[in-house]
Amino acid sequence: MSVALLVTTYNWPEALKLVLESVLRQSRLPDEIIIADDGSGDTTRFVIDSFKRNTTIPVKHFWHPDEGFRKTIIINQAITGTSSDYIIQIDGDIVLHEDFVKDHVSEAEKGFYIRGSRVLLPEDITRRFLRAGEFHNVTAFGKGVRNRFNALRIPLLAPLLIKKSKRSRNLIGCNCAFWKEDFLKVNGYNNELKGWGHEDIELAARFINSGLSQKKVKMKAVCYHLHHPFNDRVHENVNYRVYLDTLKRGITYCTNGYHH
């Protein structure tokens, strides 16, 4: 099966550089990289262009002008640019363990979307990596690491911790994966959701409503979330109400999505 790594980004080129370097270190490389850029400036483009020169993996950079938070629109557009069967989605501040893609591929299963987890890095460690411009794996016992359980990669134990369910509320878009055909069936991300928040769980709700289940993976597909201040959450409640409505009414298809 062919695998695309989808990276969303907005105006944090230093973080994106670390993320893309972690992609080059993968034990199983993605077949292509698609970058969904919600209107970043030139520095981000320079980072992506220089990355392209360092790899033979096809890299596609999708960009639209910065008119506020329009992440769903640019992700939908980026996914039009891939013919891969399977999509692993991360954010531009998620640095990958070297077996991240390999682990995701091994867990891919028809009828499921994947919910991964992440290690939240503290501010001082994040600053150190950004300053040095290079990243080293963080152990579960590193100082200041929150949710250290997520830093453990123990593939032998992973099967014992897999949870299959009809949950959607806990999906995190910064480490998830789905089949492209499942994504198209529900018409992708809902472009009616403006501003930060809940576009990922609303997609998950439509996945569930369309008959998929969630597969929650631990101790594999490890990734590290660089520390940053919270986004402006002014639309969060509105978006959450859309999610609840989607869930309650069993909606499987959004009218303004991948195709609109």
Side-chain angles (χ1 to χ4, degrees), residues 15 17 71 80 135 141-142 167 179 219 227 237 249 256:
K17 181 174 174 288
K71 187 176 179 180
T80 64
F135 185 88
F141 311 103
R167 284 189 75 184
W179 296 94
M219 295 211 169
H227 180 276
N237 291 337
R249 292 172 46 207
N256 178 4

Side-chain angles (χ1 to χ4, degrees), residues 20-166:
L20 292 175
E21 281 168 7
S22 75
V23 175
L24 293 184
R25 293 197 295 268
Q26 292 299 298
S27 56
R28 193 269 194 218
L29 291 168
D31 299 298
E32 56 183 340
I33 297 162
I34 42 180
I35 298 171
D37 181 347
D38 194 15
S40 304
D42 286 344
T43 322
T44 294
R45 198 179 69 246
F46 298 146
V47 166
I48 295 168
D49 287 345
S50 95
F51 174 72
K52 281 179 178 171
R53 290 193 289 275
N54 288 330
T55 180
T56 53
I57 310 169
V59 179
K60 296 176 184 151
H61 179 196
F62 290 83
W63 178 92
H64 60 190
D66 185 357
E67 292 170 14
F69 192 102
R70 297 188 299 149
K71 187 176 179 180
T72 56
I73 296 172
I74 199 65
I75 294 178
N76 282 331
Q77 201 186 332
I79 290 178
T80 64
T82 176
S83 51
S84 293
D85 309 313
Y86 199 66
I87 293 163
I88 302 168
Q89 182 182 327
I90 62 168
D91 284 346
D93 53 10
I94 293 283
V95 184
L96 310 179
H97 182 287
E98 56 265 23
D99 292 318
F100 181 83
V101 173
K102 179 179 118 178
D103 286 348
H104 261 294
V105 169
S106 71
E107 291 300 340
E109 190 177 341
K110 288 287 187 198
F112 291 89
Y113 73 89
I114 300 281
R115 184 235 194 244
S117 56
R118 64 194 158 163
V119 179
L120 298 170
L121 294 177
E123 195 170 354
D124 56 337
I125 293 183
T126 299
R127 247 204 321 268
R128 200 166 67 232
F129 288 141
L130 291 170
R131 247 203 323 265
E134 56 181 320
F135 185 88
H136 307 285
N137 278 352
V138 174
T139 72
F141 311 103
K143 189 167 94 33
V145 173
R146 308 223 305 280
N147 60 357
R148 40 186 88 238
F149 185 68
N150 291 345
L152 295 171
R153 182 180 181 274
I154 312 177
L156 283 173
L157 293 183
L160 306 175
L161 294 168
I162 281 173
K163 285 201 178 81
K164 293 183 169 179
S165 71
K166 290 288 183 186

